[in-house]
Amino acid sequence: MADTPKPAEIAKIDHYPSPFEKGWMNKQVEIKPGVYCYASKPKNLEYVGMPYPREWNPADEDWKLPENWKEIIEEGFKDRLDKYRSFKLFMDICVRCGACADKCHFFIGSGDPKNMPVQRAELLRSVYRKNHTIGGKILGPFAGARELTEDVLKEWWYYLYQCTECRRCSVFCPYGIDTAEITIIGRELTNLLGLNIDWIAAPVANCYRTGNHLGIQPHAYKDMMDFFTDEIEDITGIRMEQDFNRKGAEILFITPSGDVFADPGTFTCMGYMMLFHYLKEQGLDITWSTYASEGGNFGFFTSHEMAKRLNAKMYAEAKRLGVKWILGGECGHMWRVLNQYMDTFNGPPDSLEEPVSPITGTKFENAKTTKMVHLVEFTADLMKHNKLKLDPSRNDHLKVTFHDSCNTARGMGFLEEPRYVIKNVCNNFYEMPPETIRELTFCCGSGSGLNAGENMELRMRGGLPRANAVKHVHEKHGVNMLSCICAIDRAVLTSLMEYWVPEVEVTGVHEMVANALVFDGEKKRTTDLRGEPLPGMEDEEDV
Amino acid sequence: MSIDKILAEKRSKIIKKWRNAIIKSYPEDGQGFLKREKSQFANPVGLTISTEIETLYDEIIKGENTEKISSCLDSIIRIRAVQDFKPSRAVAFVLQLKQIIRDELGSGHSDKMRILDNRIDEIALLAFDVYSACRQKISEIRVKEVKNQVGKLLERANLISEIPEQRPAL
Ligand code: SF4
Ligand code: SF4
């Protein structure tokens, strides 16, 4: 009897289910500069008919919420529980084992426990318990449930826009809970109150109006491509004109607009152009579009409906031009949408046919329903069939490693093709450590619309695990080039490298392909696409 | 016992205390993870802190190689400069070493301790330089990104015309 604890002592025992959740519920969130992105501007929400457009500032106390904001969220929450079985399941089945806790790059880089995936999901889950479970309704905080208040909403917003929807955590969860999907739904809910970030809202509005994120009009798009044509001519001596909006072409090519307007993606774009020109003689009949001028889809970071709306233009333009199938450039989230959603969003496209490579005759059976093929896969197939004359020594000044973009690696299992292509065009390739690549790849830290400038500190810490692995191969093998197949990566990894490993540059895969591609009748190449001297050509005159 | 001998003998104890003090600056619920000796890829922050302060400690005691000291400081502060720390908190760990050493030495050794104090003060100033350089870099990156996103576009689309390097002859 003497050992039996007294009631007062029992009351002190902590019954809280998981050690890493101690006290988290009661701490009020502090919205910090360098971490949060600026609020969506009203004009961008208005343009696409999103609710509650207004000027507001995340750093202000008053977010100017509509009076019935709580009802709107609770209603929206309920709708989505009914609509998405996976969401309901993810709310219910987490056992808080902690396996995902230390797998998120934002937690690893920041040490902020609220960036543990389980905690991020708990933001929504705690409110779910309060409203939708008996235990939560009765026991409240003792069952891990909490009331939805303005502070809770602010915390949602702050941490939902600190998740890049990369899915790394889901790989480690024994139940397959995908926190990225929870973030996606959570962001949908914030959008019901007009609480988006402008870095997402502006591209969405632009894309809806002009067809691409930057709001580039057709003539400017064409101007840029003409500029590249001149550049390519300077380097190779061959004029490689492209076709635009050409009706009756066999294939439509769609790529992220970042390739056309932002370095170093521009060099990748030149790579596409050169490859297409090279294949013309072998029967490639392809056109670009100045309307479907964006492969990316920031609607995907807003809501399922918005993603669907913006995605629709791909099939619409394919139909208008009367092409047989679509080829897609090097992009990350574009491919996640195409691979996971397009079929149900806007498919099946009756006007299109099952893609067949006009050069090799290969049937892309994996694209049977979507009718859209990844360019890297297309190129890998060309290489497999020896259709390209390549001189990989032209890339000998590069020591290359490859960053698997979360979306292509975990979102579509696209792992071997890029490596196959890279190894065909360069002699020095080094993998980063196994726990940082392929399906375990570390995110760039800037995906899912978080590639703004004002949140640079967040991006740098989120990208730290990736940069740390690059640094390792840089120190061990002298790696000086980080390759990737994503337009956002090309832009953001450049900044990431500048901060963490400044000796390493960033490239798309097709830039290296084009460097190695040997054209009949080309002039002696002395530089690569960036105008840097090729190995052994350092003393040539026109360098 | 001479102070050098004590500092050598208590090396691992002091470093451990120092590491714990640094990790304490992070939110409580994340500290356990940072302490875990995982691979350098699973826990780059924790591992960087552990390895760099070892070298830093040895160099501080020797007090010779400023370059090495700077490089250690850079590795740690580059991380802290983008985490949730005020500038003072990001570099405070350097000064924390003073008290940790003093606690281990006990009383006496005041002359030697004064030298060490001065040295640590110097390094704290160095840390401030490193921190500023990191923050400067962040601003540069921000500016560069904006320029790259918009400036090039305007220039290439012939929408702006900059003053040429050389004036055309009249
Ligand atoms: S790994 Fe899965 S079950 Fe375990 S805490 Fe994370 S989400 Fe929950
Ligand atoms: S999806 Fe990625 S960013 Fe989001 S919680 Fe999981 S690991 Fe972190």
Side-chain angles (χ1 to χ4, degrees), chain A residues 20 32 102 107-109 113 216 227-228 261 263 433 435 453-454 457 459 461 468 472 495 498-499, chain B residues 29 33 36 38-41 44-45 78 82-84 135 137 141-142 144-145 148 152-153 156:
Chain A
F20 45 73
K32 292 191 175 137
D102 57 358
F107 172 65
I108 295 173
I216 312 291
F227 175 85
F228 297 152
F261 298 102
D263 286 346
E435 68 251 57
E454 61 270 20
E457 285 83 341
R459 289 174 48 192
R461 56 171 103 143
N468 181 55
H472 175 75
S495 300
E498 191 172 343
Y499 189 70
Chain B
D29 299 345
F33 165 74
R36 238 173 287 153
K38 286 215 165 188
S39 94
Q40 73 182 100
F41 304 108
V45 176
R78 191 162 291 276
V82 293
Q83 292 177 327
D84 279 341
R135 298 299 306 183
K137 191 82 214 160
I141 292 172
R142 274 201 181 102
K144 254 195 194 168
E145 272 198 357
N148 184 28
K152 268 225 158 73
L153 171 69
R156 284 191 184 172

Side-chain angles (χ1 to χ4, degrees), chain A residues 103-106 117 120 163-169 179-180:
Chain A
K103 304 305 187 298
C104 174
H105 49 286
F106 284 118
R120 202 184 308 284
C163 165
T164 42
E165 305 177 0
C166 79
R167 300 178 95 188
R168 188 168 196 268
C169 48
T179 303

